[in-house]
Amino acid sequence: MSLNNKKNLSGWLDMSQSLSGVILAVFLWTHLVLVSSILLGEDAMTFVAKTMELSFLSEDGHGYPWVVSLIAIGVGLLASIHVLVAMHKLPLSLQQQRALRQQMSVINHGDTKLWVWQAITGVGILLLLPVHLWLIGSAPETIGPAGSADRIWNQGVWMVYLPLLLCVELHAAIGIYRVAIKWGSERALNSRDRIKKIKTIVSVVFVVIGIASLLAFLPYA
Amino acid sequence: MSQGRTLTFNIFRYDPQEPGDKPKMVKYQIEEAPGMTVFIALNMLREKQDPSLQFDFVCRAGICGSCAMVINGFPTLACRTLTSKYPKAEITLMPLPGFELIGDLSVNTGKFMRELAERLKLWLHPKADEVDIHRIEAPMAPEEAAKLYELERCVECGVCVSACATKQMRDTFVGAVGMMKIARFELDSRDTRSVEDFYHVIGNQDGVFGCMTLLGCQDNCPKDLPHMQQIAYLRRKMATALV
Amino acid sequence: MKLIYTDSLVVGAGLAGLRVAIASKERGLDTVVLSLIPAKRSHSAAAQGGMQASLGNTVKGMGDDEDVHFQDTVKGSDWGCDQEVARMFAHCAPKAVRELANWGVPWTRVTKGPREVVVNAEKVTIEEAEAAHGLINARDFGGTKKWRTCYTADGTGHSLLYAVDNKAISLDIPVHERIEALSLIHDGSRCHGVVARCLITGELRAYIAKSTTIATGGYGRIYEVSTNAIICEGIGQALALETGVAKLGNMEAVQFHPTAIVPVGILTTEGCRGDGGLLRDKDGHRFMPDYEPEKKELASRDVVSRRMTEHMRKGKGVDSPYGPHLWLDITLLGRKHVETNLREVKEICENFLGIDPAKDWIPVRPTQHYSMGGIRTDATGQSPHLKGLFSVGEAACWDMHGFNRLGGNSLAETVVGGMIIGKYVADFCEQNALEIDTALVDKFVTQVRSEIDDLVEGQGSESAFDIKLEMQRIMMDYVGIFRNGLELNKAVEALQALLLRSRNIGLTCKKRHANPELVEALRVKRMLKVALTVACGAEARTESRGAHAREDFPQRNDKDWLNRTLSSWPSHDATLPALDYEQLDVMTMELPPGYRGYGINNAIAHPDTEKREQQIIDILSKLPDEADRHARQHASMPFEVPPSLQEKNERLHEKSLSNRAQLGDETK
């Protein structure tokens, strides 16, 4: 079918925003589950960290820490795409911001407020994520109970991680909720109220896991 | 039904045609009567307190869509809003945002809707130009007719447009009303337009791919139209056309 | 001053007006529509039930045709209608329904096989034919022999209006919104357009046109409470009246519906009582059996409305700040029934009354519902008195309703009348030139301008709002369901006094642009004249016919009153309309006056009736045996429609009977 290219672009942009968002969210949750292995103890986390470095493929069992750097670069790229395509939905001009503020001051609507939170947390992530990626990507070999604990608590990186945790968990859950209703599945399971409830639970659960994990590093610092 | 309350109305007042006039909120008080709606209250205010007060009502039965305004933060039809709904007896009325203001609570939704219809070609494009009106009509599946009617219940009140943050930020965005109407014609077996035809109209940033699914439309629609499903359906259809 | 020239000018953008505009535009004529509001907000949208057309697709409509529809319509009108017009209408109704299907109306369709319906409060199973599957369905309505009312769920008017307005948009017909016509430009014999005011800017414009079609709906709002939209104020009728040349027909014919909710006057369907709902008074007493032991709540609309009024006059009404009312009790039907079969009623009760009709009684009272009267036109929709002035829909007295309209015939009239008259309007525009007499235009614009000047700058002290309310109360109290000479006389005098006072209206808001008080003042002065035609017509008509019920003259008097009231406004200074009458000729009727088949049979016969009945039998018996029902019809009362609408309507089950077979049928 022949659709003109210019119009094609917005469709692709919209789809890549949803798709990159979903991949990032899945990565995020997986990542957090992996990090939370610290809750099961030092050995568990060491095992996870090593496995991530593909230790099972290397003969000496030390693995390849650059794999983590690669993942960090990959996530960084994906996040950049996500930011670029999502940007054009945000009120960039002063006039747009004024129109939005004006409307929101007159009309009280929950999902619009949620979206504003998503935009704010998005900006937060934009500022904080590069720090995180740089810290990890530049020194992948330090990931582990002691190394991470040292970074988080002794070097004060918790001041980055805690706000980042709150931002991503809100952003990802709201984002996934929106992708679900946006592309709509007609199955009964996906009634909006239900998805919305699941979204809130997911946010809360992962924030709790995240904070618990951060605290769990404390003894190793 | 509460009786004998004094209602306080905070009403947005502005006459853009009056030189020097500035937007302001004006307070009015009125004795509540049983069964009083915002329609009745506004007319009493106009007749007894301020004859210059502008607002629009036509059917006053929730059918015509003329009287949408923002009542205590929620855009809705004023004619079928009972004052007894507000336990604090305070009611703030604002005109619908996102439309040309005629004055006070009156906005030009008609002009908006006509322009939208012209832009999106919101009418049936039937198979033949001429049907024989003397012969038995072409049959249609009864389920299809019922489904079409469900989508056709839109009264063009403008609530979905005013409740849409996307529309406020992007003037050229077609809004829920535009997409719902496209969905209605897309579904109609009598319409000859193809997916490509619809794609050219809404397969873009001003259509389904610009919508952020904030659902202010669905949450405030006085006719409870299924915006979420229909817009998602169109989006999938358009995305499939693309891939 | 802005001058706008066009070929076909239409005032009013409801179904009837838009349909005429489409007919003009399709013939390549320049067309402009004026409207107080956006077209899709017009009151046509409020018609829920459906429109009558004898398609005969459903099994309960089998055997239906134009003849049956015609007879139902004439009986419904209490023989007050123009039978040729009723014929034109019945003939074209199926065409209009089929045309609308092609414009996008999602008519509810027939589903083959068995389905359960309620007939006479009993569940009955009917079996729809395989061949009818997917064809346009019809439902049952009062006063009809067959199930004939085509519908789209519970929003027929809405989907019709949207389809027709969409069609108008596709033809690029301009609708000038928020424009109010205030006077007709005419030279005493020909109408040349209107003077109109923009409700936003206050600008005065002259629209000059070959033909001017008034399609502004009814005049229900001369009553304080009406089921009509608040814009149905009879301004279209007033425009014609104020020419002093054009005449209004049967203005006293006003229909009341028994169960509109109080205070807002929104209709609750007759189905409430059909399904077993009861009417109760302030003591909770079910009073209808006291008056109508046989039919009780289910007597005809006019009868129930009359009994309810009578009961409230006895002080049995429930007092409320909005005046007395009675109760409609549907609690006995049970929650399940209310929430499934009467969903609409439930929503209205929740939204407008804040009550739950499954456990609370609904406050109701008979309420003005429809205007049978209007601008008198001939069969082509043109005023016989003012060339170039057309009228269509509820605004007109084309006269297919006579003194009582059947449910489902009003929505039908808008699109069928619009279809037929639209073609005659186009013919007129093609055959006549645009006449521009700037001095004449100037005269009318100046008149309107000085009227506005007087209101804005004058020293008047009367309030437009107060006068309007007083007028509406007079109409409610004295020109209601039940009428009598004494009260009608009181009404006429009081309205006359109000008309004088209305010449002294002053404004507190002095704006010349968007000014609701100015709009009210301009309208109330015109509405009063319309109200006077209703009151005077009712006072003069000393008989009871259809919706016009005189307590002092309870009989239908065909001998003296088989005629149409015509009112005109004699001069600018006059305070009363001039009345004259147009006789209905029994000797040309296809269906001479008789018993309607319901209501009281108390008519005083017309001397020609028997003669005409015999004449028809003679005419029919002389026809050759192969004469079908069309030939028979043509022999007894020929009628004309535009050539493109003349063809016969095709039906699923039409059997052609011989002349003899049909004759036999009738003499049985």
Side-chain angles (χ1 to χ4, degrees):
Chain A
M1 132 184 220
S2 62
L3 294 168
N4 87 43
N5 281 330
K6 198 179 151 223
K7 281 182 178 167
N8 264 344
L9 203 58
S10 59
W12 288 118
L13 287 179
D14 205 35
M15 283 191 280
S16 43
Q17 186 189 346
S18 293
L19 194 66
S20 59
V22 170
I23 297 172
L24 284 169
V26 170
F27 172 81
L28 166 75
W29 290 329
T30 318
H31 157 289
L32 208 72
V33 167
L34 295 176
V35 170
S36 70
S37 57
I38 189 68
L39 294 171
L40 300 177
E42 193 175 353
D43 294 347
M45 166 137 197
T46 309
F47 171 76
V48 169
K50 287 296 156 200
T51 308
M52 286 307 292
E53 290 167 3
L54 307 181
S55 60
F56 50 91
L57 288 182
S58 74
E59 283 166 17
D60 58 0
H62 279 99
Y64 312 99
W66 52 267
V67 171
V68 173
S69 304
L70 268 188
I71 294 176
I73 292 169
V75 168
L77 281 176
L78 205 54
S80 308
I81 293 174
H82 189 69
V83 169
L84 284 176
V85 292
M87 276 285 258
H88 68 268
K89 299 262 171 77
L90 294 178
L92 297 178
S93 75
L94 209 63
Q95 196 193 348
Q96 285 179 312
Q97 286 166 19
R98 201 179 303 130
L100 181 67
R101 242 200 325 273
Q102 160 68 17
Q103 192 245 12
M104 290 191 66
S105 72
V106 173
I107 289 176
N108 176 7
H109 181 243
D111 268 32
T112 306
K113 287 178 191 159
L114 268 188
W115 170 75
V116 170
W117 276 109
Q118 212 184 358
I120 293 170
T121 52
V123 173
I125 296 168
L126 185 64
L127 297 174
L128 299 172
L129 184 64
V131 179
H132 176 48
L133 290 177
W134 174 254
L135 289 175
I136 299 300
S138 64
E141 68 284 354
T142 62
I143 298 176
S148 295
D150 180 57
R151 186 168 35 245
I152 295 167
W153 294 111
N154 298 338
Q155 296 173 29
V157 174
W158 64 271
M159 282 185 284
V160 174
Y161 282 8
L162 189 64
L164 182 60
L165 173 74
L166 293 173
C167 283
V168 287
E169 292 310 339
L170 277 178
H171 190 91
I174 299 173
I176 293 295
Y177 157 71
R178 205 169 304 291
V179 167
I181 55 175
K182 181 167 182 172
W183 296 94
S185 143
E186 272 146 43
R187 278 174 298 160
L189 173 79
N190 289 351
S191 83
R192 184 167 157 214
D193 283 346
R194 201 147 162 196
I195 306 179
K196 212 167 175 174
K197 233 174 258 163
I198 295 173
K199 165 206 77 92
T200 311
I201 293 170
V202 166
S203 276
V204 170
V205 165
F206 279 104
V207 166
V208 169
I209 291 177
I211 292 177
S213 302
L214 283 176
L215 290 174
F217 279 109
L218 208 47
Y220 305 100
Chain B
M1 246 183 270
S2 44
Q3 242 170 319
R5 294 197 304 172
T6 299
L7 299 173
T8 304
F9 279 88
N10 286 300
I11 301 180
F12 175 88
R13 299 298 311 267
Y14 177 48
D15 181 353
Q17 290 183 78
E18 187 76 0
D21 196 22
K22 292 225 163 55
K24 57 184 177 289
M25 298 301 292
V26 177
K27 225 178 252 283
Y28 299 89
Q29 293 201 313
I30 193 171
E31 288 303 306
E32 188 176 40
M36 184 180 254
T37 58
V38 175
F39 160 72
I40 296 174
L42 279 174
N43 275 292
M44 280 173 84
L45 285 177
R46 182 192 273 174
E47 284 163 26
K48 307 278 183 230
Q49 299 187 31
D50 191 339
S52 68
L53 189 57
Q54 292 185 60
F55 47 78
D56 295 315
F57 288 97
V58 177
C59 76
R60 62 82 184 87
I63 296 162
C64 76
S66 300
C67 63
M69 57 181 74
V70 186
I71 306 180
N72 285 0
F74 294 95
T76 189
L77 299 179
C79 70
R80 62 175 213 193
T81 301
L82 291 165
T83 55
S84 59
K85 239 180 90 178
Y86 303 98
K88 287 187 186 155
E90 283 227 351
I91 298 171
T92 300
L93 303 179
M94 301 284 290
L96 284 189
F99 292 97
E100 176 190 314
L101 181 77
I102 291 172
D104 304 337
L105 301 171
S106 172
V107 292
N108 208 336
T109 48
K111 187 176 158 198
F112 175 95
M113 296 299 170
R114 168 90 188 208
E115 283 169 3
L116 188 73
E118 286 171 356
R119 180 176 149 209
L120 302 183
K121 305 204 179 334
L122 298 177
W123 55 82
L124 190 78
H125 291 52
K127 289 200 170 85
D129 284 343
E130 292 284 330
V131 282
D132 192 342
I133 57 174
H134 316 295
R135 302 273 86 82
I136 290 176
E137 64 277 7
M140 175 190 257
E143 305 76 31
E144 184 191 333
K147 234 189 250 173
L148 285 177
Y149 175 70
E150 280 306 305
L151 290 185
E152 213 174 69
R153 288 168 48 247
C154 169
V155 294
E156 298 193 356
C157 61
V159 161
C160 59
V161 174
S162 74
C164 175
T166 313
K167 171 71 193 166
Q168 306 293 318
M169 292 188 292
R170 179 186 288 276
D171 204 37
T172 47
F173 184 58
V174 302
V177 57
M179 289 189 277
M180 288 300 280
K181 281 169 186 273
I182 291 285
R184 179 244 175 273
F185 290 111
E186 200 276 335
L187 192 76
D188 197 322
S189 60
R190 297 167 297 190
D191 201 288
T192 49
R193 281 172 287 186
S194 63
V195 179
E196 289 99 293
D197 294 328
F198 290 119
Y199 192 94
H200 284 298
V201 184
I202 53 155
N204 53 43
Q205 206 54 31
D206 286 335
V208 285
F209 298 126
C211 164
M212 298 192 292
T213 322
L214 304 181
L215 298 182
C217 48
Q218 167 149 335
D219 293 339
N220 292 288
C221 176
K223 294 287 158 187
D224 295 323
L225 294 179
H227 297 82
M228 187 174 82
Q229 284 102 316
Q230 287 307 319
I231 298 174
Y233 164 78
L234 277 182
R235 189 179 286 115
R236 288 200 303 273
K237 194 110 189 165
M238 296 300 124
T240 325
L242 197 57
V243 179
Chain C
M1 174 183 62
K2 196 163 166 182
L3 288 173
I4 294 161
Y5 301 96
T6 186
D7 295 324
S8 174
L9 176 68
V10 179
V11 185
L15 276 171
L18 288 173
R19 186 61 190 84
V20 168
I22 289 168
S24 303
K25 188 76 179 192
E26 280 179 335
R27 293 263 284 269
L29 296 159
D30 190 68
T31 306
V32 174
V33 183
L34 308 185
S35 178
L36 294 175
I37 52 167
K40 287 192 172 81
R41 312 245 186 267
S42 304
H43 189 51
S44 306
Q48 294 176 345
M51 73 171 268
Q52 286 200 43
S54 57
L55 296 178
N57 291 324
T58 166
V59 65
K60 300 289 276 182
M62 262 170 78
D64 198 11
D65 57 27
E66 299 85 355
D67 299 348
V68 189
H69 191 184
F70 164 78
Q71 286 158 11
D72 284 345
T73 302
V74 174
K75 288 173 186 170
S77 81
D78 221 355
W79 275 272
C81 75
D82 181 325
Q83 297 198 3
E84 279 184 48
V85 167
R87 262 295 171 189
M88 293 164 76
F89 162 76
H91 174 74
C92 293
K95 303 180 196 304
V97 169
R98 287 164 175 169
E99 178 179 74
L100 287 162
N102 203 46
W103 290 1
V105 173
W107 294 110
T108 298
R109 305 290 172 138
V110 176
T111 308
K112 64 184 172 195
R115 89 182 144 118
E116 207 166 67
V117 296
V118 177
V119 180
N120 265 339
E122 271 178 40
K123 282 188 181 160
V124 182
T125 304
I126 59 173
E127 178 96 15
E128 295 289 5
E130 172 96 36
H133 185 75
L135 297 182
I136 294 168
N137 207 348
R139 57 164 56 134
D140 197 9
F141 251 50
T144 64
K145 278 216 176 105
K146 303 283 178 186
W147 289 24
R148 187 188 298 129
T149 306
C150 306
Y151 64 103
T152 52
D154 55 4
T156 317
H158 171 87
S159 44
L160 258 60
L161 181 62
Y162 273 52
V164 172
D165 186 46
N166 290 343
K167 177 76 180 173
I169 295 172
S170 78
L171 292 173
D172 206 18
I173 296 172
V175 177
H176 294 193
E177 290 172 8
R178 296 180 188 261
I179 299 288
E180 177 155 34
L182 288 172
S183 118
L184 290 180
I185 301 167
H186 70 97
D187 55 20
S189 62
R190 165 105 192 251
C191 180
H192 298 290
V194 304
V195 179
R197 175 175 176 270
C198 173
L199 295 175
I200 300 176
T201 63
E203 175 191 46
L204 284 186
R205 303 171 180 177
Y207 287 86
I208 321 287
K210 291 177 180 172
S211 72
T212 305
T213 306
I214 295 191
T216 50
Y219 43 87
R221 285 286 161 180
I222 59 173
Y223 288 84
E224 188 182 2
V225 186
S226 163
T227 64
N228 289 187
I230 58 167
I231 52 164
C232 300
E233 298 187 304
I235 301 302
Q237 286 86 358
L239 295 182
L241 188 65
E242 286 193 325
T243 60
V245 187
K247 294 181 181 182
L248 308 184
N250 284 346
M251 291 297 282
E252 66 271 30
V254 176
Q255 188 177 70
F256 289 77
H257 194 287
T259 57
I261 64 169
V262 177
V264 281
I266 297 164
L267 210 63
T268 58
T269 170
E270 212 156 293
C272 291
R273 282 170 292 132
D275 294 354
L278 309 175
L279 291 168
R280 298 184 187 276
D281 65 15
K282 70 172 183 184
D283 307 318
H285 173 64
R286 181 187 178 194
F287 60 91
M288 277 307 290
D290 304 345
Y291 297 100
E292 297 287 328
E294 202 174 317
K295 291 230 153 192
K296 307 179 183 78
E297 280 83 1
L298 282 172
S300 60
R301 255 185 209 184
D302 52 337
V303 171
V304 178
S305 290
R306 279 173 215 149
R307 295 310 190 189
M308 288 171 76
T309 309
E310 199 178 333
H311 202 61
M312 285 191 287
R313 281 182 182 174
K314 288 181 184 162
K316 293 292 186 183
V318 185
D319 287 321
S320 83
Y322 304 103
H325 64 76
L326 294 161
W327 299 113
L328 172 63
D329 174 9
I330 57 170
T331 60
L332 68 165
L333 305 183
R335 178 166 300 277
K336 188 162 170 265
H337 185 94
V338 171
E339 285 179 358
T340 52
N341 298 359
L342 299 168
R343 195 180 79 178
E344 220 182 290
V345 175
K346 185 170 182 280
E347 279 175 17
I348 288 172
C349 288
E350 285 168 351
N351 285 326
F352 292 95
L353 300 168
I355 63 168
D356 173 6
K359 67 179 176 53
D360 305 314
W361 293 349
I362 310 167
V364 295
R365 142 174 91 197
T367 300
Q368 193 285 340
H369 183 55
Y370 189 80
S371 318
M372 273 78 72
I375 300 168
R376 177 64 188 140
T377 71
D378 59 21
T380 70
Q382 188 171 205
S383 164
H385 318 100
L386 189 58
K387 203 178 147 193
L389 174 67
F390 288 79
S391 185
V392 62
E394 194 177 349
C397 179
W398 186 35
D399 220 3
M400 55 168 277
H401 303 306
F403 277 78
N404 180 62
R405 167 183 73 76
L406 291 183
N409 260 357
S410 54
L411 194 58
E413 185 190 15
T414 63
V415 284
V416 178
M419 184 185 212
I420 299 171
I421 291 165
K423 293 190 194 299
Y424 289 126
V425 167
D427 290 346
F428 181 89
C429 289
E430 281 170 358
Q431 290 153 11
N432 289 274
L434 191 67
E435 289 174 22
I436 303 164
D437 177 347
T438 45
L440 185 75
V441 174
D442 221 38
K443 182 184 123 190
F444 280 93
V445 174
T446 309
Q447 257 173 31
V448 173
R449 179 165 293 135
S450 65
E451 185 185 357
I452 293 171
D453 287 345
D454 285 349
L455 285 168
V456 176
E457 290 158 16
Q459 302 303 310
S461 55
E462 296 283 355
S463 151
F465 296 112
D466 292 349
I467 290 186
K468 182 174 170 186
L469 188 62
E470 280 186 53
M471 169 193 71
Q472 291 173 324
R473 295 219 162 128
I474 293 165
M475 294 305 288
M476 293 292 284
D477 293 344
Y478 304 131
V479 200
I481 299 155
F482 262 136
R483 302 164 176 185
N484 62 62
L486 217 64
E487 290 186 346
L488 288 168
N489 186 260
K490 244 191 236 175
V492 171
E493 280 176 9
L495 289 171
Q496 239 182 319
L498 273 184
L499 184 66
L500 289 172
R501 276 173 59 195
S502 75
R503 292 174 183 167
N504 190 31
I505 288 177
L507 304 184
T508 53
C509 175
K510 305 283 191 189
K511 285 180 195 172
R512 280 174 188 273
H513 61 272
N515 178 351
E517 195 186 14
L518 175 59
V519 172
E520 195 79 351
L522 290 167
R523 285 188 192 163
V524 74
K525 291 170 71 181
R526 289 162 172 75
M527 290 169 82
L528 273 166
K529 293 181 183 168
V530 172
L532 271 161
T533 62
V534 178
C536 291
E539 189 191 16
R541 184 171 285 273
T542 49
E543 66 152 354
S544 292
R545 183 181 297 274
H548 172 69
R550 286 284 298 254
E551 292 164 305
D552 41 357
F553 298 94
Q555 284 177 291
R556 187 181 91 198
N557 184 347
D558 292 335
K559 185 160 83 64
D560 302 313
W561 285 103
L562 196 61
N563 58 24
R564 188 172 293 124
T565 311
L566 296 179
S567 1
S568 54
W569 205 259
S571 74
H572 187 69
D573 300 322
T575 57
L576 283 179
L579 299 183
D580 59 302
Y581 293 89
E582 181 185 344
Q583 295 306 315
L584 301 184
D585 185 3
V586 175
M587 295 310 290
T588 62
M589 286 181 186
E590 182 178 341
L591 191 64
Y595 177 48
R596 297 165 95 188
Y598 44 86
I600 307 163
N601 187 8
N602 64 353
I604 301 168
H606 190 281
D608 286 348
T609 302
E610 268 180 55
K611 215 190 314 172
R612 175 62 179 163
E613 277 166 355
Q614 190 50 50
Q615 192 183 39
I616 291 173
I617 292 172
D618 293 346
I619 292 172
L620 295 181
S621 58
K622 279 186 198 124
L623 291 176
D625 192 42
E626 61 277 13
D628 61 3
R629 66 181 182 89
H630 302 286
R632 290 160 47 84
Q633 192 285 319
H634 184 77
S636 55
M637 189 188 74
F639 68 95
E640 244 183 82
V641 290
S644 60
L645 300 176
Q646 280 168 3
E647 214 173 306
K648 290 171 191 164
N649 298 308
E650 190 187 20
R651 278 185 193 80
L652 206 53
H653 328 268
E654 176 125 11
K655 41 182 183 176
S656 191
L657 290 176
S658 71
N659 187 38
R660 185 148 313 134
Q662 293 184 70
L663 267 177
D665 233 21
E666 239 161 60
T667 44
K668 253 180 225 164

